[in-house]
DNA sequence: CAACGGACCTGCCTGC
DNA sequence: TGCAGGCAGGTCCGTT
């Protein structure tokens, strides 16, 4: 499931191959993704040079001189660099061709991902405009979390998964960060002390950075630009481990659902 | 504004 | 063997 570390891994993988190159064409086989792929994407993008490959939250941003391509991997999406001419496989919905270089191929079985174009400033795009801070940059800390949590009864796990609060934290890393910080996922966000939020902010940063270092987490679909899985799943402390012993204290991890999302925590280590 | 449920979609797994 | 049903999950959107 692509969360921030997986998207960042893909960004780092594809950037050296497409940065500075001109798009030779775009092939859309299935335009019905989360939102329709713009019908004019081929006409717009062909001839444009990819100036930079950046990331905002879980969106990949391919910047050109006249606008930017936004790619979201949804839950099951992947972007791979393949040899031009490699026949498309099932769910290979969009190809970005480059002259004399690898083809960037978007595959997404569940089609929750998106491929969008914006001619305006990326940060003013409707989907990005209201996003919260990047957790790995300055501007994200315990004080910010504590301030936004005021008077909110929502579980702290849902709170940190809210992209208006902080971007990039999905279900897997929310579970992991709360374990690292020793906080029970169901606690009301507004009832948590500043000091505890400072610890949580640090844990979010730590778990995301560690996961990037391992190339992300692969449970089923996720692969990087070369089709290789990540390895962070070997270090998961609680996600997917309800009923198994806590790696820290041996107690049996508990499972529950919060906002319809699988949640696991240690009743001893997390309070 | 906050909170929550529904919707989107396919593949995998379980149970009958 | 076949089929129905549940689950996974990012995130927008509509409703309360």
């Amino acid at each position: 499931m692509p969360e921030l570390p997986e998207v960042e891994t893909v960004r780092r993988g594809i950037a050296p191959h497409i940065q500075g190159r001109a798009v030779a064409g775009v092939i859309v086989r299935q335009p019905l993704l989360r939102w329709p792929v713009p019908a004019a994407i081929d006409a717009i993008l062909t001839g444009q040079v990819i100036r930079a490959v950046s990331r905002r939250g879980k969106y990949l941003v391919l910047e050109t001189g006249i606008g930017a391509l936004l790619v979201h991997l949804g839950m099951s999406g992947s972007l791979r660099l393949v040899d031009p001419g490699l026949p498309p496989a099932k769910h290979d919905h969009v190809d970005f061709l480059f002259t004399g270089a690898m083809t960037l191929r978007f595959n997404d079985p569940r089609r929750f991902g998106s491929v969008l174009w914006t001619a305006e400033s990326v940060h003013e795009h409707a989907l990005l405009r209201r996003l919260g801070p990047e957790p790995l940059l300055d501007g994200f800390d315990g004080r910010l979390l504590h301030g936004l949590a005021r008077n909110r009864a929502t579980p702290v796990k849902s709170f940190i998964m809210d992209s208006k609060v902080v971007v990039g934290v999905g279900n897997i890393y929310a579970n992991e960060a709360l374990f690292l910080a020793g906080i029970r996922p169901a606690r009301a966000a507004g009832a948590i002390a500043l000091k505890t939020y400072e610890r949580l902010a640090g844990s979010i940063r730590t778990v995301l950075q560690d996961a990037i270092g391992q190339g992300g987490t692969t449970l089923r679909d996720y692969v990087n630009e070369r089709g290789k899985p990540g390895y962070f799943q070997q270090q998961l402390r609680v996600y997917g481990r309800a009923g198994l012993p806590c790696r820290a204290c041996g107690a049996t991890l508990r499972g529950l659902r919060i906002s319809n999302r699988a949640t696991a925590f240690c009743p001893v280590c997390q309070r």
Side-chain angles (χ1 to χ4, degrees):
Chain A
M1 322 306 165
E3 299 185 30
L4 187 150
E6 291 73 32
V7 178
E8 178 62 18
T9 298
V10 170
R11 188 194 71 76
R12 293 179 186 185
I14 65 174
H17 294 268
I18 64 174
Q19 205 161 327
R21 290 190 186 276
V23 176
V26 182
I27 298 169
V28 179
R29 303 184 189 85
Q30 170 56 278
L32 300 181
L33 306 180
R34 178 67 162 88
W35 290 281
V37 178
I41 194 76
D42 176 50
I44 293 169
L45 214 46
T46 298
Q48 295 300 320
V49 171
I50 305 298
R51 293 186 173 177
V53 182
S54 59
R55 177 186 58 74
R56 178 72 177 101
K58 298 175 188 170
Y59 288 89
L60 280 166
V61 182
L62 279 59
E63 297 166 35
T64 77
I66 59 168
L69 187 76
L70 298 176
V71 179
H72 196 294
L73 300 179
M75 285 179 39
S76 57
S78 61
L79 273 177
R80 296 175 65 171
L81 291 162
V82 301
D83 285 329
L86 180 73
K90 200 173 185 184
H91 307 306
D92 281 343
H93 304 314
V94 184
D95 279 359
F96 300 93
L97 312 179
F98 295 89
T99 307
M102 302 278 269
T103 290
L104 187 63
R105 179 165 282 178
F106 177 83
N107 176 291
D108 186 6
R110 273 162 272 190
R111 286 197 264 139
F112 278 21
S114 46
V115 173
L116 297 170
W117 172 259
T118 177
E120 57 188 341
S121 157
V122 166
H123 300 289
E124 288 164 26
H125 190 275
L127 294 173
L128 306 189
R129 198 168 37 198
R130 292 180 185 82
L131 292 180
E134 289 287 332
L136 299 180
L137 299 180
D138 290 343
F140 174 71
D141 57 19
R143 182 162 295 280
L144 173 106
L145 290 177
H146 184 254
L148 289 174
R150 270 178 66 109
N151 298 324
R152 289 189 61 173
T154 199
V156 62
K157 176 167 176 262
S158 307
F159 176 67
I160 61 172
M161 289 176 69
D162 181 348
S163 64
K164 293 188 290 300
V165 173
V166 58
V167 298
V169 182
N171 197 39
I172 295 171
Y173 298 113
N175 276 290
E176 295 299 303
L178 288 166
F179 174 82
L180 286 185
I183 303 167
R184 292 208 182 190
R187 283 185 65 188
I192 292 174
L194 171 60
K195 193 161 191 169
T196 307
Y197 270 124
E198 285 170 348
R199 203 166 67 235
L200 178 55
S203 297
I204 290 172
R205 263 198 245 269
T206 298
V207 73
L208 295 177
Q209 262 158 354
D210 286 355
I212 292 171
Q214 297 293 309
T217 297
T218 295
L219 297 177
R220 184 165 298 162
D221 300 294
Y222 170 73
V223 290
N224 69 10
E225 81 289 347
R226 287 178 315 205
K228 302 296 182 191
Y231 295 97
F232 190 73
Q233 64 276 13
Q234 295 167 7
Q235 291 175 35
L236 294 175
R237 275 88 162 179
V238 289
Y239 179 84
R241 300 192 67 245
L244 297 174
C246 174
R247 296 194 199 277
C249 77
T252 300
L253 298 179
R254 290 190 192 158
L256 72 162
R257 294 188 79 77
I258 293 178
S259 299
N260 225 18
R261 292 285 181 270
T263 304
F265 70 98
C266 174
V268 175
C269 296
Q270 292 172 261
R271 296 288 172 180

